[in-house]
Every structure is written in C-alpha cells, then in structure tokens.
Amino acid sequence: MNLHDCVFAALDRFRMEVPSWGFANTGTRFGKFIQAAAATCLEEKFADAGEVNRLTGAAPTIALHVLWDVAGGVQDAAEINRLEAKFGVKTGSINPNLFQDQAYKFGSIANPSAEIRRQALEHLLESVEIAAALGAKDISIWDADGSNYPGTQSMRRRIEWTEAAMARVHGALRPQQRMLIEYKPFEPHFYHMDIGDWGMALSLAYKAGPQAKVLVDTGHHYQGQNIEQVVAWLLHLEMLGGFHFNDRKYADDDLTIGSIDPYQIFRIFHEILSDETGAAANVAFMIDQSHNLKGKMEAMVQTVATAQEIYARAALVDHEQLAELQDKCDLVNAEELFRNCFWTDVRPTVREWRESKRLPPDPLAELARSGYVEDAAKNRGPRNTGLMATYA
C-alpha cells in the first residue's frame, strides 16, 4: 500500500475522545489561571467538543466526569441527550471521582472507615447507572488512594478492600459495558498508591471479571519506563482497554500530545497497529490533559491534529519487512525503516484527507479564522472573571 492509501486508511479509522475538563478552567496544586473563553457549564463543554469534531473529523465523543458534569446523576441523562443532539457529539467514557470529597482524605474504596468505603462504592455504582442511561460503554476508574508514611496503613487490607470494590462494580456492569482500571505510581500519595502500576491494575482487572481492562495514562509512569512494552504486554494478554494520552517532561505533567516526546507516541501507536490478536480494535483513545496556559480550544484542536499525524506516520511501518529485518537481526536497517516512517512528513497527505472529507485543511487556522474563541471569550468572560472556587 502506498503512502497516500496508508494515511487515508489510518485517518478513516482514527478516533480520539476529548475530555470535558479539558475545556474548563484547570490548574495545579498552586492555583490556576482563568481563561475568558473557558467553558463554564456542560452545554459549553459540549459546544466546544462539537467544534473540535467539526474541525478535525476525529473526535465524536466527549468524556464526562460525574462530579463535575453529571451532578444530578441519572436524572441528568435527558439533558445530556439533548446536548448530544444539539452539538453532534456523543457521551464517551464516564469518569467517577474518588479524590475530591473531603471524606476521602485517607482513601475512598480503601479507606479504613467502612462507611466511607460504602460511600465511594455507591458513587461507583451510580456511575455505572449513569453510563447505562447514556449508552456509554466505558467507566474509567482512577483510584487516588494510598498513603504517605510507612506503617500508617495496611497495604494488604487495602488490596482486599480495593478488590472487593472492583468486583462489586464489575457485577453491576451491563453486557456491553467495560470497567477500565487506571494506575499511577505516585501523587496524590508519595509512599504508596493502592493501584501503583500496570501489574496491580491487571491483577484487579483479572479478579474483577472479563469486562474489566487496564487503562494506560502516558503520564502515569516512572521516568524512563518503556510504555510501549507495557502496551505490548497488555495487548498480548488482551487486557488493554484504553489510553489517556498526554505528554510529560517530569511526571504527570498533563502536557499536550507530542509536545515533549512525539517519538514515544509514535512507538505506542506502532505497537497498537502491529497487534495481530484483534485486541487493539477495542482500545479506546482518550485525551487527558490540563491546558493551563494554552488556550483550551487551540490546545484541544492542536492535540487531535497532532495525534492524527503521528498515528498516520505509525501506519506507514511495513510490518512484514520490519519482521524480516528483525529476524535477521539487521539492527541498523530495522531501526532505519522504523525511524524513516517517524520522520516522514505526512502533513500534505493529511491535508488531502481532510479536504476529501470536506474538513478544514488546517484545523487550527480555521479555528482562528472562525472567531469561535473570541465569541466564547465575549460570552463567557463575565462568568469566568474571578472564578477560583473549583478545580474543574
């Protein structure tokens, strides 16, 4: 298959979910900078997501955070359905919140208090019901539990409590639903996290049941960790459920995709595209970033467009030829074949693809030309002024 056909085929199937919180005012533990055009309500988040999809043709779903977006629970489903119809994007993954309530100071599903564990479990079960009401497939669980000081918590008991909660959530899933279990080695806790790496998440998923998979966040790893090897293992085991894509320089920086290490994203996409088990077909691509300094809309459009380009480059790898070189241990030529695909400038072909789909050939330029951000800033600015109360 020639370059043109490879790129077109890759972009035809590529989809990336945008996060609702990526359009809202966010920040760091030190505070946040308010943007006049940031979304201040769910309808504005849907409006922004619809515009990103219109510009890129690759973002038809928006991830929702239960606490920030669906505070009314299942009763909010009718309003969300209205927003879906109005703005042309569907609800994607449903994200419970196990870290913001003051009750979770010492943990949520692994809190020593049985009452607080029950509260956290009820929230997870409600999230499953919300997903069912909205026809959402994935419930993405990030458990922020852990401890900061040796000897202050029983890690073994917390394993048991976490396993029990995951099993209960899995038991509530509808046949078409999945539970995606995310992991993180540190932050907010710095001695131990209850789900600290992909092995722990994998064990929990196996014990919970067949509808549980692992969610990989590219920022949730130690420095230098070979994330594409993690991807290869999870694909081999048919346990990779989804990705939270972002980039980082130091830790969980939540920078925009490819801004620091585009080659890593290329390597990850290569592992997914070279999968022969069929497991990769069900891997959900999702964005999880904090656009604290970049404009919300500009950063999201830039991210989706960058991901399209890197995915298209990864699709150029000739797997049969690469396998032959690998089997012969022809190291230089194997690496050059791999690297040449990464260095190929696919942007002219991506532009052709967009034009063939009647999409703007340059999404960022079209966003600037449209005046969408300026209009949003004018309409939302008064509500954003002085807004400092919540994280998202």
Side-chain angles (χ1 to χ4, degrees):
M1 191 181 294
N2 59 36
L3 183 149
H4 178 277
D5 292 344
C6 280
V7 170
F8 269 55
L11 295 179
D12 280 345
R13 64 177 177 266
F14 183 78
R15 298 292 181 270
M16 180 160 276
E17 185 166 295
V18 297
S20 70
W21 52 95
F23 299 110
N25 284 307
T26 55
T28 70
R29 65 170 61 90
F30 302 106
K32 62 185 177 183
F33 299 103
I34 303 300
Q35 296 188 22
T40 64
C41 64
L42 187 57
E43 178 153 2
E44 291 171 356
K45 293 175 181 179
F46 264 91
D48 290 352
E51 184 68 5
V52 173
N53 189 47
R54 184 188 74 82
L55 293 168
T56 65
T61 57
I62 177 172
L64 300 183
H65 208 288
V66 174
L67 183 63
W68 304 331
D69 299 321
V70 201
V74 174
Q75 294 180 351
D76 287 349
E79 171 62 12
I80 292 172
N81 288 335
R82 182 188 72 81
L83 297 176
E84 291 175 335
K86 180 176 180 179
F87 297 107
V89 288
K90 298 287 290 182
T91 299
S93 62
I94 298 298
N95 295 258
N97 186 305
L98 296 175
F99 57 87
Q100 196 167 338
D101 195 300
Q102 289 296 306
Y104 298 153
K105 180 176 181 178
F106 300 115
S108 58
I109 56 175
N111 194 297
S113 164
E115 177 60 27
I116 293 175
R117 294 200 303 273
R118 181 194 61 77
Q119 174 185 327
L121 177 60
E122 287 180 354
H123 174 68
L124 290 173
L125 295 175
E126 180 188 32
S127 298
V128 173
E129 295 304 314
I130 291 169
L134 293 170
K137 178 180 180 180
D138 292 328
I139 296 90
S140 298
I141 300 175
W142 177 54
D143 173 23
D145 291 3
S147 68
N148 281 343
Y149 308 101
T152 60
Q153 289 291 304
S154 168
M155 288 186 279
R156 290 192 178 187
R157 282 198 298 166
R158 294 173 75 97
I159 291 171
E160 294 170 357
W161 290 329
T162 303
E163 287 178 340
M166 295 298 180
R168 286 286 305 278
V169 176
H170 188 278
L173 295 175
R174 307 302 195 269
Q176 75 279 9
Q177 290 181 322
R178 301 189 304 176
M179 179 173 71
L180 305 184
I181 303 176
E182 192 172 358
Y183 56 91
K184 193 174 186 181
F186 65 91
E187 193 188 39
H189 297 286
F190 295 92
Y191 171 59
H192 99 278
M193 292 285 288
D194 285 322
I195 312 177
D197 62 30
W198 69 277
M200 299 177 200
L202 180 65
S203 175
L204 288 166
Y206 270 137
K207 286 203 170 187
Q211 291 168 253
K213 303 294 180 182
V214 176
L215 177 73
V216 176
D217 185 304
T218 49
H220 290 192
H221 299 85
Y222 295 116
Q223 283 280 27
Q225 187 162 2
N226 189 327
I227 300 175
E228 57 267 30
Q229 184 181 21
V230 175
V231 170
W233 266 101
L234 291 172
L235 285 171
H236 174 72
L237 297 170
E238 300 186 9
M239 291 299 289
L240 180 61
F243 260 96
H244 275 176
F245 277 110
N246 48 60
D247 211 336
R248 61 94 175 267
K249 175 64 176 174
Y250 297 105
D252 186 25
D253 303 339
D254 275 347
L255 303 178
T256 49
I257 287 177
S259 57
I260 303 296
D261 190 359
Y263 193 37
Q264 181 184 72
I265 305 299
F266 173 86
R267 299 192 305 266
I268 291 169
F269 279 148
H270 165 72
E271 289 301 326
I272 292 171
L273 287 167
S274 62
D275 173 65
E276 296 179 351
T277 68
N282 293 316
V283 176
F285 294 157
M286 297 172 270
I287 297 168
D288 186 13
Q289 300 173 169
S290 282
H291 311 134
N292 303 326
L293 302 181
K294 288 182 176 179
K296 307 296 181 179
M297 286 295 294
E298 295 91 338
M300 201 74 79
V301 171
Q302 181 190 44
T303 291
V304 176
T306 299
Q308 286 177 300
E309 292 170 5
I310 298 175
Y311 188 83
R313 289 193 229 169
L316 298 179
V317 176
D318 186 325
H319 300 138
E320 184 176 342
Q321 185 181 0
L322 183 62
E324 291 176 2
L325 294 170
Q326 291 170 338
D327 289 344
K328 291 190 295 185
C329 295
D330 189 343
L331 307 186
V332 171
N333 284 320
E335 185 184 22
E336 284 303 295
L337 186 156
F338 196 72
R339 281 168 20 100
N340 286 340
C341 293
F342 172 72
W343 289 113
T344 299
D345 186 0
V346 299
R347 289 174 297 178
T349 312
V350 173
R351 187 184 184 97
E352 287 181 38
W353 176 82
R354 289 181 177 132
E355 290 174 336
S356 75
K357 302 296 182 181
R358 297 184 178 179
L359 295 167
D362 185 336
L364 268 177
E366 174 61 21
L367 176 64
R369 187 206 63 78
S370 70
Y372 182 91
V373 174
E374 291 76 11
D375 289 343
K378 180 180 178 180
N379 294 327
R380 304 171 187 176
R383 290 191 296 278
N384 276 309
T385 299
L387 182 64
M388 299 293 289
T390 62
Y391 179 77

